[in-house]
Amino acid sequence: MPPQNELLRIESLRNAATRTAAFEQLVKEFSPWLYMQIRRIVQFHDDADDVLQNTFIKAWQGLDAFRGDSQLSTWLYRIAINESLAFLARNKSMQSLDDVDGEPIRTLESDPYFDGDATELMLQQAIATLPEKQRIVFNLKYFEEMKYEDMSHLLGTSVGALKASYHLAVKKIEDFFNAHD
Amino acid sequence: MTPHIDFTQSASRHNPFVLPEGYLAGVTTCIMQRISRMEQPDGRNMRIVRWIPLCGAAAVAALFVVFAAFTRADEPGASLATGRQEAITTATHEYAEADYTYDYFMTDGTIAVLDYNSNE
């Protein structure tokens, strides 16, 4: 059962008269957190900006379909994850076209909005090599320190599968670091 | 030397991803503007959409007229009607010539039959 203020917010979002104002408040409140979740997946600011905007547009379009079974934050996070994965899939096909054209591929070092040292850069490069699901699980566990139970609810995956994903991700990242020794 | 990362460490980690200054305020405005544009009906498109049924009706009517004209031309009675029209046209033309002749001879159009056998 969602808390009282959550119910009031859902009610405001369903009411045509208050919907726009309530949604603007929702955007303001969840943008920082969602931006960082998206940024950890897509890595570049420009891409995270596109995905974040598309996430909220999709949320607006799907407001009538939101039944209130889950919390708004969970619902928004799922949309953000789906949008991020869709973006990565599109980007992968575009990148292969860029390779053919001989255009330079962006790197995290050249991103003005990346402020990491050599270790953090290498960690991000290692994370970028992970399969999508492992990348999401690793980010949530390592950076967000999210409990497996909460992650299970968020991603709709069993705790056991999440633990396995995280350990596989850690192993691959360690291998990446060893290979670049 | 490979940098060591302790994956079991639970302390908060430094976030290397920087949020551009003023980005969040800007993105909220941007998202709400996009939503506002989405919610407004496109006036130009609405005008075009309004004309579509009228254009369709006009096109159907035009096709019907053309079809009907071709269908009547193929009907058996059509040639009879056409022949009758030609006859009327020819007759009208002949009457016009007769009128011209009567005018030329300054007659009233009646033919005077002279009866030479009459005593008058």
Side-chain angles (χ1 to χ4, degrees):
Chain A
M1 181 77 178
Q4 189 63 26
N5 57 349
E6 177 95 348
L7 289 173
L8 287 173
R9 170 172 273 177
I10 292 168
E11 192 58 40
S12 301
L13 287 166
R14 282 183 178 155
N15 186 345
T18 54
R19 173 177 283 201
T20 306
F23 192 79
E24 187 168 0
Q25 190 57 38
L26 191 80
V27 173
K28 280 180 184 167
E29 194 173 317
F30 285 97
S31 281
W33 178 68
L34 278 179
Y35 171 86
M36 220 35 93
Q37 303 308 315
I38 293 166
R39 183 83 190 272
R40 288 196 197 285
I41 298 171
V42 301
Q43 295 195 330
F44 295 94
H45 165 71
D46 292 343
D47 299 343
D49 179 34
D50 284 348
V51 175
L52 181 70
Q53 288 193 34
N54 290 341
T55 296
F56 280 112
I57 296 295
K58 286 275 167 70
W60 173 266
Q61 290 170 333
L63 270 179
D64 292 328
F66 179 64
R67 297 190 303 267
D69 297 341
S70 60
Q71 287 192 338
L72 275 166
S73 57
T74 307
W75 179 63
L76 285 171
Y77 183 77
R78 281 181 186 152
I79 298 172
I81 291 288
N82 287 334
E83 283 298 307
S84 301
L85 296 181
F87 175 84
L88 287 179
R90 280 198 305 271
N91 204 35
K92 201 180 279 181
S93 57
M94 289 297 289
Q95 230 169 33
S96 59
L97 286 175
D98 285 351
D99 289 345
V100 173
D101 293 345
E103 287 182 18
I105 296 171
R106 286 180 306 172
T107 55
L108 216 47
E109 298 100 303
S110 61
D111 189 341
Y113 303 114
F114 182 77
D115 184 30
D117 57 19
T119 308
E120 286 168 330
L121 180 63
M122 194 181 278
L123 177 59
Q124 289 304 323
Q125 287 167 341
I127 291 170
T129 64
L130 295 175
E132 288 151 358
K133 191 74 180 259
Q134 285 178 23
R135 192 191 299 197
I136 292 164
V137 173
F138 182 83
N139 282 333
L140 287 175
K141 185 68 189 163
Y142 183 71
F143 292 107
E144 298 291 316
E145 298 169 24
M146 191 180 278
K147 289 177 183 166
Y148 284 119
E149 286 74 19
D150 296 340
M151 216 187 293
S152 171
H153 183 64
L154 193 65
L155 301 173
T157 312
S158 70
V159 171
L162 292 170
K163 282 180 180 174
S165 282
Y166 182 71
H167 289 298
L168 269 174
V170 168
K171 180 78 175 64
K172 284 179 185 174
I173 290 169
E174 282 173 343
D175 290 346
F176 184 91
F177 272 76
N178 291 332
H180 289 79
D181 190 3
Chain B
M1 179 68 186
T2 309
H4 178 72
I5 295 178
D6 182 7
F7 291 104
T8 59
Q9 187 186 349
S10 61
S12 293
R13 291 157 181 95
H14 169 243
N15 181 11
F17 296 113
V18 180
L19 201 62
E21 201 173 333
Y23 167 72
L24 290 173
V27 80
T28 303
T29 309
C30 191
I31 289 166
M32 295 316 292
Q33 280 174 349
R34 278 181 69 180
I35 287 169
S36 174
R37 279 199 298 273
M38 274 165 44
E39 294 299 300
Q40 285 170 357
D42 190 338
R44 191 183 58 182
N45 284 348
M46 287 301 287
R47 278 201 296 276
I48 292 168
V49 167
R50 205 174 294 137
W51 279 101
I52 287 173
L54 295 174
C55 291
V60 169
L63 278 172
F64 182 74
V65 167
V66 170
F67 180 73
F70 276 110
T71 310
R72 281 189 185 172
D74 291 343
E75 282 174 3
S79 58
L80 185 63
T82 309
R84 190 179 298 144
Q85 185 64 37
E86 280 174 4
I88 291 166
T89 308
T90 308
T92 309
H93 182 67
E94 283 170 0
Y95 283 135
E97 281 184 353
D99 284 343
Y100 177 77
T101 307
Y102 297 145
D103 285 346
Y104 182 79
F105 290 110
M106 290 186 289
T107 62
D108 59 358
T110 55
I111 299 169
V113 179
L114 297 175
D115 187 359
Y116 294 105
N117 300 323
S118 166
N119 293 326
E120 293 176 8

